[in-house]
């Protein structure tokens, strides 16, 4: 059955029907670009008869990917389409071909805290601890280098004029060595290793080039250099690549995004056609008029002029405060006016701020004036300590070269394993050329370590033995996690009936529930 395109305007319909070759759509805010993209995917599958398996749709957040998949499902074409973030796509590719770039397929993906832990250890081991070289600063520089596809030597050569560049490069090299030793990658490695695989390995490259006949990329202005190259290689055989973006909305330059990829796209893909989406469905005329006046000052952009049929809307207010306190007072005064005189409810009002730390003054003022409020933006679910502890056990069990995960839980729950004991274990692991996991698992038969160390570590060794038995018995992930919480003593840690413990137990139950849903799906 043909896809009904009657819900699209003329601007949207034209690129939907232009399906062969390279197509770039420069889309203003609120212009319906996600709708355009999903209709084009549906058109390619339903009207052109392309198998969903041969369609790849990429975006930049898990939420956006989920929303796109939901839309395609509601249109009846979601089954089989690869709808991923760039990082998720690279994980899928590397799980299949990791050995070709020197990793095991069970590699661990390190998050911010695990990356920080590695850098802290490097700084300590190399006696490079300096208040100007914080782990956060170093990791930002490493990520910047990786986002531009630069290894430590290239980074040092390119930025040799910057202070401490040789020290950062040295840490970068050691960081790479330790991650590789742990069979682990950070998020930037996912992109770089996938690109390295596609460039160097003909089998993998041809497999994915043959597979993806049509490639769609949303928020194209947010791609970095490595992501752009991945997209270029994947589309090389069929040439059917569709990119939607807006150089005027590029806000992620600080994490490597290169809005100039929109201009590169037009040059690198021969015969590229460009379309504009200029009609805004979201905002009032006053907002659109102001937006046009602001963005016309951008020096590098594809010319477009946003317009809307919406109402004029309320006048736009601008206030430049003399201090942060004056800013807070102004905002709260206007909230009180809206609630007291214009019929708004408090739940109709939101305050947006750049970072969580800026909430302090607002919270103090709200408390002072007795204003009911709610703070959003605390720890994300998978960043909560109890969740990371449970997952660290599972990561260590699955990837026994992953020292960072094992070190996170080596003394959780408390077993009396202090820094000195950990140092002895790590040193023995190094000199005996064995993984830390292997040293701990075989601690009972170890004649080289002191009896006191063996006594402290033996309970953890027994826990790992129990978990290995559960894996061999083919426990499902949810069953294994429940068993882990019991046998490792995590359940006992949070058994006291306090509000904090209740919340932690609920979080762990939610983790298990997510696993059960995964198993059912």
């Amino acid at each position: 059955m043909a896809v009904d395109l009657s819900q699209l305007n003329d601007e949207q319909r034209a690129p939907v029907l232009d399906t062969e070759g390279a197509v770039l759509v420069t889309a203003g805010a609120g212009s319906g670009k996600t709708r355009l993209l999903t209709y084009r995917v549906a058109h390619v599958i339903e009207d052109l008869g392309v198998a969903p398996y041969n369609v790849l749709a990429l975006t930049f957040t898990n939420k956006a990917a989920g929303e796109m998949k939901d839309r395609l499902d509601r249109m009846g074409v979601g089954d089989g389409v690869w709808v991923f973030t760039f990082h998720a796509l690279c994980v899928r590719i590397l799980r299949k071909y990791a050995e070709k770039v020197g990793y095991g397929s069970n590699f661990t993906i390190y998050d911010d805290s695990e990356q920080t832990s590695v850098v802290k250890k490097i700084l300590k081991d190399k006696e490079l601890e300096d208040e100007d070289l914080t782990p956060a600063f170093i990791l930002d520089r490493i990520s910047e280098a990786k986002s531009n596809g630069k290894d430590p030597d290239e980074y040092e050569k390119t930025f040799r004029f910057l202070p401490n560049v040789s020290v950062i490069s040295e840490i970068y090299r050691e960081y790479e060595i330790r991650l590789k030793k742990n069979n682990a990658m950070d998020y930037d490695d996912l992109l770089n290793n996938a690109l390295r695989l596609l460039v160097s390995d003909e089998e993998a490259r041809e497999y994915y080039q043959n597979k993806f006949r049509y490639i769609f990329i949303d928020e194209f202005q947010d791609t970095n250099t490595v992501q752009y190259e991945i997209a270029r290689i994947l589309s090389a055989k069929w040439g059917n690549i569709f990119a939607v973006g807006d150089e005027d909305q590029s806000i992620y330059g600080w994490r490597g995004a290169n809005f100039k990829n929109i201009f590169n796209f037009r040059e690198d893909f021969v015969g590229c056609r460009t379309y504009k989406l200029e009609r805004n469905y979201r905002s009032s005329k006053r907002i659109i008029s102001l937006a046009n006046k602001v963005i016309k000052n951008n020096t590098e952009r594809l010319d477009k002029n946003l317009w809307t049929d919406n109402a004029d809307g309320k006048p736009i207010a601008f206030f430049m405060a003399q201090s942060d306190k004056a800013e807070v007072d102004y905002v709260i005064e206007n909230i009180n006016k809206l609630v007291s005189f214009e019929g708004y409810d408090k739940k109709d009002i939101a305050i947006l701020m750049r970072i969580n730390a800026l909430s302090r003054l607002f919270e103090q003022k709200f408390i002072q004036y007795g204003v009911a409020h709610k703070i959003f933006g605390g720890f994300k679910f998978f960043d909560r300590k109890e969740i990371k502890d449970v997952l660290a056990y599972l990561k260590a069990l699955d990837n026994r070269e992953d020292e960072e995960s094992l070190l996170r839980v080596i003394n959780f729950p408390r077993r009396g394993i202090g820094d000195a004991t950990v140092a002895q274990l790590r040193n023995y692991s190094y000199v005996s050329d064995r993984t830390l996991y292997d040293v701990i698992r075989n601690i009972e038969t170890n004649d080289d370590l002191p009896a006191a160390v063996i006594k402290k570590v033996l309970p953890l060794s027994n826990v790992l033995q129990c978990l290995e038995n559960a894996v061999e018995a083919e426990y499902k992930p949810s069953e294994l996690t429940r068993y882990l919480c019991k046998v490792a003593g995590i359940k006992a840690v949070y058994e006291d009936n306090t509000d904090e413990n209740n919340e932690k137990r609920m979080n762990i139950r939610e983790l298990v529930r997510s696993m059960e849903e995964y198993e059912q799906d």
Side-chain angles (χ1 to χ4, degrees):
M1 185 176 70
V3 176
D4 180 11
L5 303 180
S6 62
Q7 295 188 45
L8 303 179
N9 63 33
D10 292 340
E11 282 184 345
Q12 296 167 333
R13 194 176 300 112
V16 165
L17 295 173
D18 189 357
T19 57
E20 303 309 302
V23 175
L24 173 69
V25 177
T26 175
S31 59
K33 58 182 173 55
T34 304
R35 168 178 287 200
L36 176 151
L37 195 149
T38 51
Y39 268 88
R40 196 175 193 270
V41 171
H43 172 64
V44 164
I45 293 172
E46 289 291 305
D47 301 339
L48 303 187
V50 176
Y53 175 81
N54 296 126
V55 176
L56 170 66
L58 293 169
T59 188
F60 280 83
T61 66
N62 291 322
K63 181 180 179 182
E67 289 174 352
M68 190 184 299
K69 186 68 165 62
D70 288 342
R71 289 195 187 200
L72 293 173
D73 287 340
R74 289 197 297 271
M75 297 175 77
V77 296
D79 286 346
V81 178
W82 279 35
V83 183
F84 288 134
T85 64
F86 268 96
H87 288 89
L89 170 69
C90 291
V91 171
R92 182 69 67 94
I93 290 172
L94 290 170
R95 292 293 183 201
K96 182 178 178 68
Y97 288 109
E99 289 82 1
K100 290 178 177 286
V101 288
Y103 290 81
S105 61
N106 63 334
F107 61 85
T108 300
I109 302 169
Y110 278 3
D111 63 13
D112 291 346
S113 64
E114 289 158 331
Q115 292 173 250
T116 300
S117 177
V118 173
V119 171
K120 282 182 177 178
K121 291 185 179 69
I122 294 171
L123 289 170
K124 185 175 181 179
D125 293 347
K126 290 183 172 289
E127 298 182 348
L128 293 171
E129 293 172 294
D130 186 322
E131 62 181 19
D132 293 328
L133 286 175
T134 65
F137 176 80
I138 293 166
L139 286 168
D140 281 345
R141 301 290 76 75
I142 292 174
S143 181
E144 180 182 42
K146 290 185 177 184
S147 295
N148 288 288
K150 296 185 183 299
D151 63 22
D153 292 336
E154 291 169 325
Y155 173 79
E156 184 170 7
K157 183 178 179 181
T158 303
F159 297 102
R160 59 185 178 277
F161 55 88
L162 293 178
N164 294 318
V165 67
S166 60
V167 177
I168 294 171
S169 299
E170 179 185 353
I171 296 168
Y172 183 5
R173 290 186 192 92
E174 182 62 25
Y175 174 81
E176 293 291 270
I177 291 169
R178 296 195 185 192
L179 259 65
K180 187 72 176 291
K181 180 177 181 292
N182 288 353
N183 190 32
M185 302 183 199
D186 62 23
Y187 288 108
D188 293 309
D189 289 332
L190 297 175
L191 301 176
N192 281 287
N193 285 329
L195 176 59
R196 185 155 61 94
L197 171 74
L198 293 171
V199 169
S200 64
D201 191 84
E202 184 177 358
E203 177 192 350
R205 182 172 62 252
E206 288 189 355
Y207 176 83
Y208 287 107
Q209 285 180 340
N210 287 327
K211 173 178 170 55
F212 299 131
R213 289 185 56 191
Y214 287 84
I215 297 174
F216 300 76
I217 306 176
D218 197 10
E219 306 292 0
F220 194 70
Q221 75 279 354
D222 292 335
T223 54
N224 63 28
T225 301
V226 178
Q227 291 163 335
Y228 181 82
E229 286 302 309
I230 289 171
R232 196 175 60 80
I233 291 172
L234 290 177
S235 63
K237 177 172 183 177
W238 299 98
N240 299 322
I241 183 168
F242 180 78
V244 183
D246 182 8
E247 70 284 3
D248 292 323
Q249 294 186 66
S250 180
I251 61 173
Y252 292 116
W254 56 274
R255 69 178 187 194
N258 182 7
F259 74 91
K260 291 184 180 180
N261 284 341
I262 286 182
F263 304 98
N264 296 336
F265 187 93
R266 297 174 63 175
E267 296 176 4
D268 291 343
F269 292 91
V270 179
C272 170
R273 280 89 66 202
T274 303
Y275 295 88
K276 299 179 183 179
L277 295 189
E278 298 176 301
R279 179 177 181 178
N280 180 283
Y281 289 92
R282 182 185 303 156
S283 304
S284 67
K285 281 187 171 68
R286 283 193 172 102
I287 290 176
I288 293 302
S289 175
L290 179 60
N292 280 329
K293 290 175 182 177
V294 172
I295 63 179
K296 76 176 182 180
N297 294 294
N298 291 346
T299 56
E300 295 179 273
R301 62 188 300 261
L302 301 175
D303 185 51
K304 56 183 175 294
N305 189 61
L306 304 181
W307 64 275
T308 185
D309 279 337
N310 294 341
D312 287 343
K314 294 190 175 184
I316 298 168
F318 174 80
F319 177 74
M320 181 176 288
Q322 297 300 311
S323 68
D324 52 357
K325 292 181 180 179
E327 182 181 47
V328 170
D329 287 336
Y330 174 81
V331 171
I332 292 179
E333 286 172 10
N334 279 276
I335 289 173
N336 288 335
K337 289 177 183 177
L338 291 170
V339 173
S340 300
F341 303 113
E342 298 191 30
Y344 286 93
D345 195 283
K346 292 188 184 73
K347 69 176 183 292
D348 299 325
I349 301 168
I351 300 173
L352 305 180
M353 55 195 70
R354 185 171 52 86
I355 56 174
N356 288 333
L358 297 177
S359 71
R360 179 181 61 84
L361 281 173
F362 283 101
E363 292 182 64
Q364 288 178 339
K365 283 288 185 179
F366 284 145
I367 292 170
Q368 180 181 343
Y369 291 111
V371 178
H373 61 282
K374 186 172 184 178
I375 302 295
F376 292 88
F379 283 111
K380 297 177 182 178
F381 181 80
F382 287 99
D383 287 341
R384 294 168 187 170
K385 181 183 182 303
E386 60 275 15
I387 301 301
K388 292 179 74 69
D389 289 338
V390 171
L391 292 180
Y393 271 104
L394 297 176
K395 288 178 182 179
L397 187 64
D398 181 59
N399 176 9
R400 296 173 189 182
E401 296 166 312
D402 180 8
E403 185 174 289
E404 288 303 310
S405 293
L406 190 55
L407 287 173
R408 180 182 178 89
V409 295
I410 197 168
N411 196 42
F412 177 78
R414 292 190 180 279
R415 304 182 177 93
I417 303 176
D419 290 344
T421 302
V422 170
Q424 285 180 285
L425 292 170
R426 291 186 69 206
N427 184 61
Y428 185 80
S429 166
Y430 177 77
V431 298
S432 63
D433 196 27
R434 296 161 63 186
T435 65
L436 182 62
Y437 186 101
D438 184 51
V439 172
I440 292 172
R441 271 290 291 112
N442 297 286
I443 197 75
E444 191 172 12
T445 59
N446 193 314
D447 296 325
D448 298 325
L449 289 170
V453 170
I454 295 172
K455 183 179 179 181
K456 291 177 181 178
V457 177
L458 188 57
L460 175 59
S461 177
N462 292 336
V463 168
L464 297 177
Q465 175 68 67
C466 291
L467 295 177
E468 289 178 18
N469 293 342
V471 170
E472 291 176 4
E474 297 184 346
Y475 277 38
K476 294 179 181 178
S478 60
E479 295 170 340
L480 179 62
T481 304
R482 285 197 192 93
Y483 181 63
L484 157 65
C485 291
K486 181 179 179 181
V487 74
I490 297 174
K491 186 176 180 181
V493 170
Y494 303 124
E495 65 183 0
D496 290 343
N497 193 28
T498 65
D499 289 343
E500 183 179 0
N501 283 345
N502 288 338
E503 182 178 349
K504 292 181 182 296
R505 290 198 300 270
M506 288 174 62
N507 287 336
I508 293 173
R509 283 199 294 270
E510 189 62 28
L511 175 66
V512 173
R513 188 177 300 124
S514 72
M515 294 177 176
E516 290 172 339
E517 291 173 356
Y518 172 80
E519 291 158 5
Q520 292 166 4
D521 289 342

